[in-house]
Amino acid sequence: MLKCFVVMGFGEKTDPGTGRLLNLDATYRHIIKPAAQTAGYDCVRADEVLHSGVIDIPMYEMLMDADLVVADVSTSNLNAMFELGVRYALKPRSTIVIAESKFNNPFDVNHIVIRRYTHLGTDIGFSEVGRMQQELTELMKAIQQSDAPDSPVYSLLSILQPPLRKGKQDPMKGSGRDGPVAQDETYAAQWQEAMAARAASDFIKEKSILLAVYESQAAKSGEDENAARPRVIRELAFATYKIGDEELKTNPSAAAAAYEEAISFLQMLDPDQTTDPETLGLWSGVHKRRSALPGRSAKDRFADLDTAIYAAERGFLIRQDYYTGINLAYLFEVRASISSGENKIADRVFANRVRRRVVDAAEKALKLLREQFEQTEDRGTKVMTLYWPQATLAEALIGLDDPRGEIELEKAKQMEPAEWMVEITLQQIEDLKRMREA
């Protein structure tokens, strides 16, 4: 079967041009892969090849040997840009470039055709999925019948001939064995297992799976190119501090140790300098938790809160999203509750200013997402996607003393999300009410 190799980022990435969070996995699952399969291609992305060992060799082999390469350069992903350049150098034709509609190309590539699609952030609208699938499928079929070059290298330097090599190994085969890689050996499969554990509130299992992925990717001495991916480190930190949350009621010392371990993971991502909103959100969240540990000194508590607020402010400035905003507002309330005079007043004013922006952001997100998921039969994905903007809207309105808040909170509960999601929401609202009454 013809092979299609997909060049793009994984998971959720922030578009540096707009600050929006785009779920690139949704683009791959709902648009690229189905279109390729309809056009007669066996479609694979790098995370569907063996996750262990050095990924560079199979990646270059796929760039060389794939019958078709689709490159999604949304969010200006540097790896995708680099791999696209390698493909253009190796092959004169059979390369398709796509990007999200608001993508602003940082390079002078006006001579390269980039096909656009519209992303809603967490997912892609039903009609847009159908439109872009059809466009890609038709283009893929047309490419099979065409000899025209699409690489700017071969288009502009017509004297070039593509390189040849004596033999080739199927990059879908691994570890010296014949046959396809077993599904449970792939990075993608382990990731799905970890996310399933999270949905079931089994953070110990999630951490165990992610730790195995992390250790397989972690840099060996002098081999920086084999370093663990930031996404793995972020999710490992999240699972670790969620374990700390579960320990907090019965074993505060174990909770403190979990928070410290989460902090040590995030320090690998340089949280003081990063502009990645996901890293900033986690850095803020774990310091918020550590500030509330029993026995924490007043000085250390203020230091943790200052760190948490500064990280949340940076994240909210970049992303302007409801989730970061509601946590920032809550942190202002926490600091106000242990402050006095002008500092107390200032933090409460800042909290309400942020909440008003959060209400607007959450209402807009809910409107878009409800339209998007109106026809979906995947209840789990629908609940996971809609719950947080609904719960955030409720908390923001309650913080503003708006009577609509309790009504919106009931709507969130009726979605029947995972137990830990509801517990987080109710605990934060209960703490907020207690602080506002003090």
Side-chain angles (χ1 to χ4, degrees):
M1 179 179 279
L2 297 173
K3 289 183 179 177
C4 171
F5 183 51
V6 180
V7 169
M8 66 187 306
F10 310 145
E12 295 183 336
K13 293 289 186 294
T14 300
D15 179 9
T18 65
R20 294 181 307 146
L21 188 68
L22 303 182
N23 185 340
L24 298 180
D25 288 348
T27 304
Y28 176 63
R29 289 194 307 267
H30 302 324
I31 292 179
I32 302 174
K33 191 162 190 170
Q37 291 172 335
T38 301
Y41 292 88
D42 180 17
C43 187
V44 66
R45 194 171 66 170
D47 60 326
E48 293 176 331
V49 184
L50 272 177
H51 73 267
S52 58
V54 180
I55 190 63
D56 291 359
I57 294 174
M59 185 269 288
Y60 282 119
E61 287 178 335
M62 287 298 284
L63 290 172
M64 176 73 176
D65 299 328
D67 300 287
L68 173 69
V69 166
V70 177
D72 187 341
V73 294
S74 303
T75 73
S76 302
N77 183 281
L78 294 180
N79 286 335
M81 295 287 190
F82 173 76
E83 291 161 19
L84 174 61
V86 172
R87 172 68 175 190
Y88 275 153
L90 292 174
K91 290 289 187 179
R93 63 185 62 84
S94 302
T95 302
I96 297 172
V97 184
I98 67 173
E100 205 277 331
S101 60
K102 293 183 174 60
F103 169 72
N104 185 17
N105 204 310
F107 303 112
D108 183 13
V109 288
N110 293 330
H111 50 286
I112 296 175
V113 176
I114 301 178
R115 289 167 173 82
R116 307 277 179 156
Y117 65 94
T118 300
H119 209 303
L120 298 178
T122 56
D123 216 317
I124 305 168
F126 181 80
S127 60
E128 179 66 356
V129 165
R131 183 198 69 79
M132 193 62 180
Q133 268 191 29
Q134 182 178 357
E135 180 178 335
L136 275 183
T137 298
E138 291 173 355
L139 182 59
M140 290 170 177
K141 289 179 178 179
I143 282 175
Q144 295 175 19
Q145 308 300 321
S146 174
D147 291 328
D150 48 47
S151 163
V153 177
Y154 290 90
S155 297
L156 299 174
L157 302 175
S158 57
I159 61 171
L160 290 181
Q161 293 295 320
L164 298 173
R165 56 192 177 99
K166 293 181 180 179
K168 65 181 181 179
Q169 177 183 347
D170 188 342
M172 289 297 288
K173 299 177 182 178
S175 303
R177 300 171 298 177
D178 293 331
V181 175
Q183 181 66 17
D184 61 358
E185 292 179 312
T186 66
Y187 170 78
Q190 286 195 321
W191 192 265
Q192 289 172 2
E193 188 180 0
M195 294 304 103
R198 176 180 297 184
S201 303
D202 190 347
F203 298 107
I204 293 176
K205 180 179 180 181
E206 179 189 358
K207 181 183 177 183
S208 176
I209 297 166
L210 292 173
L211 196 57
V213 176
Y214 166 77
E215 289 173 348
S216 74
Q217 295 178 346
K220 300 176 183 178
S221 178
E223 296 182 3
D224 291 340
E225 69 275 10
N226 209 28
R229 295 187 182 102
R231 183 188 183 193
V232 175
I233 296 172
R234 284 195 298 267
E235 302 304 336
L236 185 54
F238 175 83
T240 301
Y241 84 58
K242 289 303 297 179
I243 292 172
D245 290 350
E246 293 180 338
E247 294 279 9
L248 186 57
K249 293 180 181 179
T250 58
N251 193 345
S253 296
Y259 296 154
E260 291 297 334
E261 185 181 9
I263 287 171
S264 70
F265 282 127
L266 291 170
Q267 283 173 333
M268 300 179 195
L269 303 178
D270 196 9
D272 291 332
Q273 299 296 324
T274 186
T275 56
D276 176 63
E278 292 295 303
T279 301
L280 290 170
L282 291 167
W283 190 245
S284 175
V286 72
H287 281 85
K288 177 182 79 171
R289 285 161 169 79
R290 192 171 71 168
S291 74
L293 283 170
R296 196 81 172 149
S297 71
K299 180 180 178 181
D300 287 342
R301 191 179 184 195
F302 265 110
D304 281 335
L305 284 172
D306 286 345
T307 298
I309 288 172
Y310 182 50
E313 285 179 312
R314 290 162 60 203
F316 190 52
L317 180 64
I318 294 167
R319 185 182 288 177
Q320 294 291 303
D321 68 307
Y322 57 84
Y323 187 75
T324 306
I326 200 63
N327 283 311
L328 175 57
Y330 179 83
L331 285 166
F332 278 131
E333 289 287 356
V334 174
R335 194 169 63 181
S337 70
I338 58 174
S339 300
S340 60
E342 293 180 347
N343 289 329
K344 186 183 191 78
I345 295 170
D347 275 345
R348 286 197 164 163
V349 169
F350 286 142
N352 281 339
R353 285 179 177 173
V354 172
R355 285 191 187 101
R356 293 186 187 98
R357 293 163 68 184
V358 166
V359 169
D360 289 341
E363 288 178 336
K364 289 176 182 177
L366 282 168
K367 184 176 184 297
L368 285 172
L369 293 170
R370 283 170 182 153
E371 292 174 356
Q372 174 187 336
F373 283 96
E374 185 176 358
Q375 301 181 40
T376 185
E377 296 181 359
D378 186 351
R379 184 184 179 280
T381 300
K382 182 176 182 179
V383 170
M384 287 290 288
T385 304
L386 290 174
Y387 176 78
W388 289 119
Q390 183 64 52
T392 298
L393 175 61
E395 183 182 339
L397 291 170
I398 289 170
L400 291 168
D401 295 324
D402 189 318
R404 291 180 296 159
E406 296 295 341
I407 297 172
E408 299 300 333
L409 181 59
E410 284 304 313
K411 291 180 183 178
K413 292 178 185 178
Q414 289 169 9
M415 293 181 181
E416 299 181 357
E419 184 177 341
W420 66 270
M421 297 165 67
V422 179
E423 287 177 354
I424 287 176
T425 302
L426 295 181
Q427 185 63 56
Q428 185 148 306
I429 290 174
E430 181 182 332
D431 291 343
L432 173 63
K433 289 178 177 179
R434 175 179 48 79
M435 289 186 292
R436 295 301 294 266
E437 291 170 357

